[in-house]
Amino acid sequence: MARVVVDVMLKPEILDPQGQAVQRALPRLGFDGIVDVRQGKRFEIELDGPADEAALARAREIADKLLANTVIEQYAVRFDPAEADRVTEPAAG
Amino acid sequence: MARVVVDVMLKPEILDPQGQAVQRALPRLGFDGIVDVRQGKRFEIELDGPADEAALARAREIADKLLANTVIEQYAVRFDPAEADRVTEPAAG
Amino acid sequence: MSARVGVVTFPGSQDDQDALRAVELVGAEPIALWHRERDLRQVDAVVLPGGFSYGDYLRAGAIARFSPVMETIVAGAREGLPVLGICNGFQVLCESHLLPGALIRNGGMLFINRDQRLRVDSVSTAWTADYTAGQQILIPIKNGEGRYTADEHTLDELEAEGRVVVRYLDNPNGSARDIAGIANAAGNVVGLMPHPEHAVEELTGPYPGPATDGLPFFTSILKRLVAA
Amino acid sequence: MTAPEQNRNSTRPAYVVDTVEHAAASPDVQLPYEALGVKPDEYDRIREILGRRPTSCELAMYSVMWSEHCSYKSSKVHLKQFGEKAPDVDFLLVGPGENAGVVDVGGDLAVTFKIESHNHPSYVEPYQGAATGIGGIVRDILTMGARPIAVMDPLRFGPADAADTHRVLPGVVRGIGGYGNSLGLPNIGGEIVFDPCYAGNPLVNALAVGVMKKSEIKLAQAHGPGNKVILFGARTGGDGIGGASVLASATFDDGRPSKRPSVQVGDPFMEKVLIECCLEIFAEDLVVGIQDLGAAGLSCSTSELAAAALQQTGVGGMDVQLDLVPLRDATLLPEEILMSESQERMMAVVTPADVERFFGICEKWDVTATVVGTVTDTGRLRITWHGETVVDVDPRTVAHQGPVYHRPYHRPAWQDELQAATPDSLSRPKTGEELRETVLRLAGDPNLADKRWVIEQYDHRVRGNTVLAHGEDSGMLRLDDESNLGIALATDGNGRYAKLDPYTGAQLALAEAYRNVAATGARPLAVTDCLNFGSPEDPEVMWQFAEATRGLADACQVLGTPVTGGNVSFYNQTNEQAIHPTPVVGVLGVIDDVSRRTRSAFEHEGDVLLLLGE
Ligand SMILES: Nc1ncnc2c1ncn2[C@@H]1O[C@H](COP(=O)(O)OP(=O)(O)O)[C@@H](O)[C@H]1O
């Protein structure tokens, strides 16, 4: 089983209303010194077969065709990140 | 300047309609053997000050308070990833 | 003296005018509240209206929850202030943890606007006393993130305590257990995805009707406040 | 992801400002005017007007303002008829020429409405193209001083089963819904038509309507030397630089991707806040003049505001400090700032005494506002960049004195043959089996299918005044809770009729919209139109345009419904293949009591059916 992560972000020159809304909200919540916030998408994909270059290539094709709108977005594809990178942190109360 | 990435994903036990919609679309586009797709959010945050533990702690607080709804979501916070991990891939035509 | 019902406007609220009109139609005094003001202007009840507060870009209701007005409303709700959250208002109530669970993207991914058949399952809340238990009603829904979700334990608890207020008769978005609206344990706080304020006039309500099935939400609270 | 900062300075060559002084001293410097869509003779005219070569900033302004999209250079001579043949009516408060026409609907209320196209951008990026189309037309309505109260969306796509339609249609519908719903504007009707002629050139037209007190009409003019010029709303970014304008001035052709604009992304939340902010500003009567920033951005707003004052009073002018414009991308050059089409921005002229109050309201709504200039009496539009003058022009030459073309046109040779093919030549179903086949084909035709998948993505209830919407002949809105005064609106168009006979086809579109409004019980008053055509450089297309315009003007005269404004969209063609000529006509009607509306469904058993007409 290959576990692949695809990160999709708006191209830097494209306006990111979502990131801006978050950024504007932060000072009101008492968070200062936030210079920039960009918001994008993260996909975790599980493909059958080995975690090899072919799997990455398939994931890249999926990203290009479906997950990212390449007119305005760019993406990065990589294997399941190291433990430290996993989104498994327990929710704090 | 500290550059931090916050990944937010639905908790595994929460149904993910967006991931499912992507998964259902894939066979129609000719992609088979996709076992699972989950969709979440990725935030890229720039904080002023050094890239130290305190910056991470601030980002974690932001994630916990605002970026994630910890009733249904979990998150991971880390420094700007290595080059390989960057979302800078040129959009393929 | 009539009852004063406040309607909060957040940046991006859309149905605040409609909610104010519904309040006025049943004879209560509508009071516009502004998200930046902590002062609730002595209202007896509050409606959090529909819309897209802060664009709903992060998560519906996520940013509005931190408005100054919400601090007062959350504190008041814990002491019995009647609060009705409609659509975006429901999302704000969940984000504020006044109500359990969360609202996520609709099953079909799309925004859905249609006249929806519902069943009123709890008439013991501050906002539903004027319905009869099990009454079937027709009220518009319009949202993209209206799918109610919560863990099984929470869902069981809601059912056991009779806190599921309205259910979809034909579930449009995959909401858990057909839930369209819930209440807190005390019954003063109710969150709904459907829009009763869009079903209060023959002229503008669902067609073909019934057109005014939303009115009892507003008459219920008025009667309770006037009786108090 | 690379931070914008990392690009800064490193990728930009040191920039030398092309000042007016520099331009005067360097007459031989060649500017790439043709790349900006400026023809050699047009460039010569600019030189003649200025008495020197333009600076690069001036050229940027002229190029966008003299583009087909902004100057109507090919259509102007034909559109004139709407004025010349305008019926004599007493309810028209503002006619064509302003951002939108304004009609007196009785009591102290006035209504403004207009239709516009966003065809090319919606083809390139369906969601954002359609979304910003709604955003743009809504700002036009807002600019008049009105509260926007509804939108409509006449759409045309290629075949429903074409792969490209699957790419374009869902995005367009989600974009219209996403933006309109987030503004809290009910969508009260529209059209969807599928026809192979729109493959590669879908039409995304958007209509918006607004209401205001008659006494609160605002105009786009910069009066009063000493008054402040305020830019407010979103920050300026690199969106659509040379976008809509350049794109609209050159035939869209897949082979030249460099012509594609960088896409504009809409921020509906910003626009919603901007609407509420403007309405509060209007209510306190804090603006002398106001203009939205659409295509041609600051080039348009500064030159049009300044030109209007000069035109009307002979006194005017404006000094603008371009370096004060709040930027999203600090690397933007002055030429780019002038051309940027970043969405959700407005420009207001405010007396010095009112500036503080103006800023107070902006602060309430979290809207960025900046004084970027001052009204003068110099007769010139002067723009500086860090102290150096980069533009010094008579604003009228930019805004009003663009080229006017009398493009050649002639009736296509194939027109006779097309008209000769009457329905009589079509085969008719003869057997039961054939009849069944025909019925099934009709039932399965996307053009006749239920439009629920589209309509359900639109909020039609918000604001609580929608009396009629989808499924009805026209949309209807209540304007006044007390009196029940209301308006009805319908849009119609039929490219197939118009291709057969553009003159009559345009009249049929008007007649259908007129009937749809009348059928609800409203009295048709006024017209807006969006004229979607192929390339005006093709004499046969130009003939279609001339005929359609003439037909519409004649019919409006007969029906007593003036055209109050509209939009021309040319170059809807891929290579030689133009769309059917598609004039889309919107009719506004007024109804004294909306409770007396007539629905299109049979309401009561036993009602008598009557057929009117032949
Ligand atoms: N793109 C659209 N946006 C909004 N409403 C639409 C759109 N397309 C069609 N409608 C509405 O759907 C209803 C039915 O449309 P249609 O089947 O084309 O019927 P008709 O021929 O009566 O216009 C009409 O009321 C029309 O306003």
Side-chain angles (χ1 to χ4, degrees), chain A residues 7 32 35 40 42 46 58, chain B residues 32 35 40 42 46 58 87:
Chain A
D7 288 322
D32 292 313
V35 183
R42 174 190 163 100
E46 253 175 65
R58 253 161 96 211
Chain B
D32 292 313
V35 183
R42 173 189 166 98
E46 256 175 62
R58 253 161 97 210
V87 186

Side-chain angles (χ1 to χ4, degrees), chain C residues 9-18 21 34-36 52-57 109-115 140 142 197-198 201-207, chain D residues 174 181-184 267-270 272-273 363-366 453 456-467 472 478 481 484 594-595 597 599 601 603:
Chain C
T9 299
F10 300 102
S13 290
Q14 315 293 15
D15 302 310
D16 42 350
Q17 296 312 313
D18 310 54
R21 178 192 274 130
W34 179 238
H35 72 117
R36 276 198 201 168
F52 297 79
S53 55
Y54 296 93
D56 276 359
Y57 291 142
M109 292 301 107
L110 298 176
F111 184 96
I112 311 173
N113 171 11
R114 67 169 73 132
D115 296 337
K142 39 170 221 186
E197 82 283 16
H198 288 326
E201 290 186 276
E202 285 297 338
L203 203 53
T204 56
Y207 175 84
Chain D
R174 276 195 310 118
N181 295 347
S182 300
L183 293 186
D267 181 350
F269 170 60
M270 172 64 85
K272 167 67 178 170
V273 169
E363 197 278 330
K364 173 181 172 188
W365 290 98
D366 261 323
W453 186 86
E456 284 195 347
Q457 295 187 52
Y458 301 152
D459 183 351
H460 65 272
R461 299 211 176 269
V462 59
R463 302 196 62 71
N465 287 318
T466 307
V467 176
E472 302 289 346
R478 173 174 62 188
D481 284 27
N484 268 350
V594 290
S595 71
R597 75 205 179 281
R599 291 186 179 275
E603 297 240 32

